[in-house]
Amino acid sequence: MTFKLADQQIAKLIVNKIRELNLNLRLMHVCGTHQDTLVKNGLDTLLAECNVEMRQGPGCPVCVTPPREFEEAKTLARRGFTVAVYGDVLRVPVEGGSLADLKAEGCDVRVVYGVEDALKIAKEISKPLVFMAIGFETTAPSTASVLLNDPPRNFYVLCCHRYVPPALDALLGLGEMKIDGLIEPGHVSTIIGLKPYEPLSQKYHIPQVISGFEPLDMLVAVLMIARQVKKGEAKVENEYTRVVRYEGNTKALKILGDVFEPSDSVWRGLGLIRGSGMKIRRRFEEHDARKVFEDELKILDSVEFKEPPGCRCSEVIRGLIYPQECALFGKACTPTRPVGPCMVSIEGSCNIEYKYGRLTLKFASNRS
């Protein structure tokens, strides 16, 4: 018999085991790919029938990037520099228009699939190229690798990379709602391993399981958390053993440590989180856009950045509401005319709900 990670019969067996534990749980994950798997396969509604409620937290890197960082990219584009961004970043609405709007006005804003594409463009042009580097521990090693390998003098990084564990700590510390367990992202965990999550289980007595991205991965992860709750345990377990090792990717971690140092960083929806940002070390400051173009960016210091009127992305990011609870969802805010980043990014909760046609809330919270 061939074992498939989407096998429906095995899924039913796992769900039955979750149901037999007779628990009432609210779990959070922090990964857009996990949310896509949950919604695409109807796992969240299936789990809701077992009294397991699933919420997506701050797991979309584009969604958590605050308005100021988009404005930094826009400011540099207006100065005549070439700005390279991911496709999702291009369309994020900010006050005064998106980067896509600037591109339409004639600014040199280019869409890339990764830092290597941006590097290639920098080698082809003579003016400054600024790569807006967004993402967590998963994508940051690629940016670090480029900086370690002597990029051209006209290549600059607007570093918006962030560490996930400090954000989880901040989220749990807010105490806005009771969370019984965390499902941790498989790709971030491939880099950082299990150890960075352990202090969270100790501090908040919360079970955590690292999960892969197939339907059975997620169901098994839920079962593993449920069993911890039943036993009164709070530890970090690894469901994604075929990829994630306890120590993580030591080579990637060394590269990250060589190029970046922790710094305080603002997250959309969560505010300032100490030690959650990746700052380019002084050794590489000649490629640090914030350092080199400090004078150009000073104009933003006196600007007050506001969220779009009526947009509830900040609450979606903290898992406080489902996208359908925002009055703009599917009406004033759609993927073709987004109001907030959660509707733009393919990893955003709103975009995922809309993509699969769930325009109304099909299941209610079973917890207060």
Side-chain angles (χ1 to χ4, degrees), residues 190-297:
T190 300
I191 303 298
I192 68 175
L194 279 65
K195 193 172 182 180
Y197 301 119
E198 291 175 343
L200 299 176
S201 283
Q202 295 164 8
K203 184 176 180 179
Y204 299 102
H205 193 72
I206 187 167
Q208 300 174 82
V209 173
I210 295 165
S211 173
F213 304 99
E214 298 292 338
L216 293 190
D217 283 323
M218 299 214 65
L219 291 177
V220 170
V222 171
L223 177 60
M224 291 168 74
I225 289 180
R227 284 174 169 168
Q228 283 196 52
V229 172
K230 194 73 175 181
K231 294 176 183 176
E233 296 176 339
K235 58 187 179 182
V236 183
E237 293 184 293
N238 182 15
E239 182 278 335
Y240 203 25
T241 54
R242 61 188 185 276
V243 175
V244 176
R245 302 289 175 264
Y246 178 80
E247 68 279 8
N249 183 327
T250 54
K251 184 177 179 180
L253 287 172
K254 182 178 186 312
I255 290 173
L256 282 181
D258 286 344
V259 175
F260 301 114
E261 57 183 327
S263 63
D264 299 343
S265 180
V266 174
W267 295 52
R268 188 191 299 267
L270 291 168
L272 183 71
I273 303 176
R274 298 201 178 282
S276 67
M278 298 188 197
K279 181 182 177 183
I280 297 173
R281 290 188 182 276
R282 182 174 296 181
R283 175 185 164 194
F284 305 97
E285 67 180 16
E286 64 181 299
H287 296 288
D288 184 346
R290 287 199 182 93
K291 184 69 177 179
V292 175
F293 305 120
E294 189 175 8
D295 291 341
E296 284 85 348
L297 297 175

Side-chain angles (χ1 to χ4, degrees), residues 28-66:
M28 176 175 280
H29 68 84
V30 287
C31 174
T33 309
H34 279 166
Q35 183 68 8
D36 194 90
T37 298
L38 284 168
V39 177
K40 178 181 179 181
N41 296 282
L43 300 184
D44 51 353
T45 52
L46 185 64
L47 288 166
E49 294 170 2
C50 306
N51 292 324
V52 177
E53 179 189 345
M54 301 295 298
R55 297 267 180 162
Q56 180 177 357
C60 166
V62 175
C63 302
V64 301
T65 301

